[in-house]
Every structure is written in C-alpha cells, then in structure tokens.
Amino acid sequence: MQPHHTRRFPWNLDWNLLRTFMVIVEQRGISKSAAVLGLKQPTVSAALKRLEETVGKQLIVRKPNEFSVTRAGHALYTESATIFGAVSQLPAILEEEVAELRGHISIAITSSVDCYHFDDVLSRFSQAHPSVTYAFSVFESEDVENMVALNRASLGICLLSSLPKQLEHSVLYKEYFGLYCGPTHRLFHTETVSQSDLEGEPFVAFQTEDVGGPLEEISKLRARLKLSREWRGVSSSLNEMRRMIIANIGLGALPVHVARKDVEAGNLRQLPPYKNLPEVSIYLLNNPARRHTDAEKALLSAIRSELDTVPLEERTYGGQ
C-alpha cells in the first residue's frame, strides 16, 4: 500500500507548476520563460521553487552563466510532457460523439517535406472531412521524433538517424540529393563542368550531415569530390540552404525533385555527379502508446493505405 503522502501527492500538486516547469526547460532559462508565459521573472522563479519543494528534489541547477536540468528534472519533464500531450487531446476526444468526423490533428514535420503522395492523401482526407482542423509545426528531425514520443503530436514526418524502438515508423518517401550552385557562382554559366572543377570549393551544409546523422551520405559525397574541408554556412532549414546556395555562400546539396523548379527558373544549376547520388528516406512516425482520436486514426489509416497501395519505387523522387 502506498504511503499516505504519496497517495495525496496528486491532490496537493498545483498542476500549473508543471506547465511552467516545461516552459523553463524548453526555453532553458527563467527570463526567456517569463517572456513566453507573460509573467515576471520573480513569479517564474517562485513557481519553480514551489515545485521543487513539492516534489522534494532539485530540478534545475541555476548558477551565473549556467543552466542545467538535473536527473530528477529530466524525469519530471518527460512525464509532464506526456501529461500535457494527453490533456491536449481532450477537446478532440470530447467531440467524438458527433456523427460527422471532427477533431484536431497536430503534425510535427521537418522543413520542406515535398511529397505529392502525402499531399494527395491530405487533400482527399480534408475534402471528405471538412470539420477536421490541422496544425503543422516545423522542427528539426530530432525534435519531431521527441514530439511524437512525448505524445505532443498526432504524427511526425522527418529524417531518422536510427529507427526508434518505441515508435511505429514507415518510409513515407525517398529522395535523391544533388549538388548545386547559384547564378553568380563561377561555374554557373560554364558549358561543361567536371568533378575536378569542384575541388576546394566552399560549401554550405545541413546540421544533420555529421557522422551518424541522417544526411551523412552528403558529407561523404563532398569528401569524394574534395570540396573544402570546412563549411561556410550551416542550417537545419532546406529553405535557408537554398538561400545560401543562390547567394553564392557556397555549393550545397538539395533534394533533386525540390530543386528542379529553381533549375528551370535559372536560380540554381545542378553540378556533377549526376548518378549514384545520396539517397535519403523520409519517415512517417506514430506513437502506439497514444490514445488516438477518431480523426487521427482516420488520417493514419488513409496514409497507410496509400503506402500499401503505392510501391516505394513510385514514392522515390529525383532518381536517375
């Protein structure tokens, strides 16, 4: 049998403190959290102190020029995020008795996902269920995975460094990455470009091109081409990568099917090699532990039906 103080804990806890604590961890500081919450810094500090007194643990180490979350703080944050995810589902769950399909679907997605098969499913689904609403939030791939794992998104679409054990995952589509330069680059108007022309060229890179990252194959391609050893620009956003390439900050890799319109418009030029390009998978993520609403179930079912019907070869874009 649980001790009395343990049984009373849920009744004694001010649940608003958990929300404040989540924001403090996510904003990594009291001042930023106060701005997000619309409160004064002393109020946020006092809320954190009350929560630490309630749980009997130090949750955050606060020293000059230092902010770190303790082991107990990480554990509490994970549980708080799970609670937040469950509570956020309540409005949709309460709508489920209505005959017409209703509800809200939150999708965590990495930048510039360009998949016409997914767009087609979404179009047909939205036409069939006009009372369903949507929220698309753009994150880095690692954060997309975390949002789904913490039950704060209906589903996720992102790259993966490794396949998550606790989440259901399917390849939504595959894409090939080519190397590009902008219109003011010296090679843009050259009639013929060989791979040797690229040696030593400055480049821009995605943050996920590190060893073990989902875009590691791009860094291997650059090494084979003997581009400069150090990047000149870096971003997690495909749109900002495109901006840096067009601005001639450096050569950069983009999905071939995404860059095609810019090539046709004269904004980009694809450079060699043109075959055996890096191939990257974009995944659909789903948390089986989540209590999915009827709207979420229906959309996931529609996407899975598309994946079962359309071969992966047809969902591979930019191939040679």
Side-chain angles (χ1 to χ4, degrees):
M1 186 176 180
Q2 289 182 318
H4 178 73
H5 71 277
T6 302
R7 296 199 307 272
R8 294 298 305 169
F9 178 80
W11 301 96
N12 296 333
L13 175 66
D14 182 347
W15 292 73
N16 287 323
L17 299 179
L18 296 180
R19 184 187 65 146
T20 301
F21 174 68
M22 283 179 58
V23 176
I24 293 173
V25 173
E26 291 170 354
Q27 296 299 317
R28 298 196 60 78
I30 299 297
S31 59
K32 290 183 179 179
S33 304
V36 170
L37 294 167
L39 301 172
K40 295 182 178 180
Q41 291 187 36
T43 303
V44 177
S45 295
L48 176 59
K49 183 178 179 182
R50 283 177 55 203
L51 181 60
E52 289 181 326
E53 291 173 349
T54 302
V55 300
K57 299 281 186 180
Q58 183 179 13
L59 302 173
I60 292 177
V61 177
R62 303 179 300 285
K63 296 179 181 179
N65 301 319
E66 179 184 352
F67 177 93
S68 60
V69 183
T70 65
R71 184 174 180 179
H74 280 295
L76 183 61
Y77 173 80
T78 299
E79 295 304 318
S80 299
T82 301
I83 293 170
F84 181 85
V87 172
S88 67
Q89 289 184 263
L90 290 178
I93 292 172
L94 295 176
E95 289 280 359
E96 289 184 356
E97 292 183 1
V98 181
E100 182 182 13
L101 186 64
R102 297 177 181 270
H104 183 73
I105 298 174
S106 58
I107 299 175
I109 192 168
T110 192
S111 71
S112 297
V113 166
D114 193 336
C115 175
Y116 58 81
H117 288 95
F118 173 68
D119 292 345
D120 186 50
V121 172
L122 197 61
S123 175
R124 285 185 271 116
F125 185 86
S126 65
Q127 294 300 312
H129 308 293
S131 295
V132 175
T133 58
Y134 310 82
F136 282 78
S137 300
V138 179
F139 301 96
E140 294 184 29
S141 288
E142 182 179 355
D143 294 326
V144 170
E145 185 178 345
N146 288 335
M147 290 289 288
V148 177
L150 293 173
N151 202 23
R152 296 179 65 182
S154 307
L155 56 93
I157 299 175
C158 65
L159 301 92
L160 291 176
S161 300
S162 59
L163 300 180
K165 296 180 180 179
Q166 304 302 322
L167 301 178
E168 294 178 349
H169 46 82
S170 306
V171 176
L172 181 62
Y173 71 100
K174 289 188 176 185
E175 58 187 8
Y176 287 94
F177 277 74
L179 192 65
Y180 296 87
C181 70
T184 60
H185 191 275
R186 65 179 182 84
L187 296 176
F188 190 86
H189 296 290
T190 302
E191 185 174 348
T192 303
V193 179
S194 65
Q195 294 189 23
S196 61
D197 293 326
L198 307 179
E199 291 186 17
E201 282 291 320
F203 68 90
V204 295
F206 287 99
Q207 291 179 343
T208 49
E209 291 181 25
D210 295 335
V211 176
L215 296 180
E216 180 184 1
E217 292 301 314
I218 295 176
S219 64
K220 292 181 179 178
L221 173 64
R222 283 201 309 269
R224 291 198 302 271
L225 296 174
K226 299 180 181 180
L227 269 63
S228 173
R229 294 187 178 182
E230 299 294 334
W231 54 259
R232 197 177 175 202
V234 65
S235 178
S236 61
S237 166
L238 189 148
N239 289 329
E240 299 313 314
M241 283 286 291
R242 171 186 175 275
R243 185 197 306 277
M244 289 190 288
I245 297 168
I246 292 176
N248 198 18
I249 293 176
L251 307 184
L254 294 171
V256 173
H257 74 293
V258 175
R260 185 168 290 131
K261 290 183 179 179
D262 273 315
V263 171
E264 293 172 352
N267 298 320
L268 294 171
R269 174 175 178 171
Q270 186 174 0
L271 301 170
Y274 306 109
K275 296 183 178 180
N276 300 317
L277 297 175
E279 182 186 85
V280 176
S281 295
I282 308 296
Y283 288 86
L284 171 72
L285 298 183
N286 167 50
N287 189 345
R290 180 182 178 88
R291 180 184 172 185
H292 290 97
T293 65
D294 287 347
E296 292 172 338
K297 291 176 185 175
L299 179 57
L300 283 168
S301 177
I303 297 173
R304 287 170 181 149
S305 177
E306 182 79 2
L307 300 189
D308 290 340
T309 303
V310 180
L312 183 56
E313 291 76 14
E314 293 184 27
R315 291 183 279 115
T316 300
Y317 306 146
Q320 297 79 44

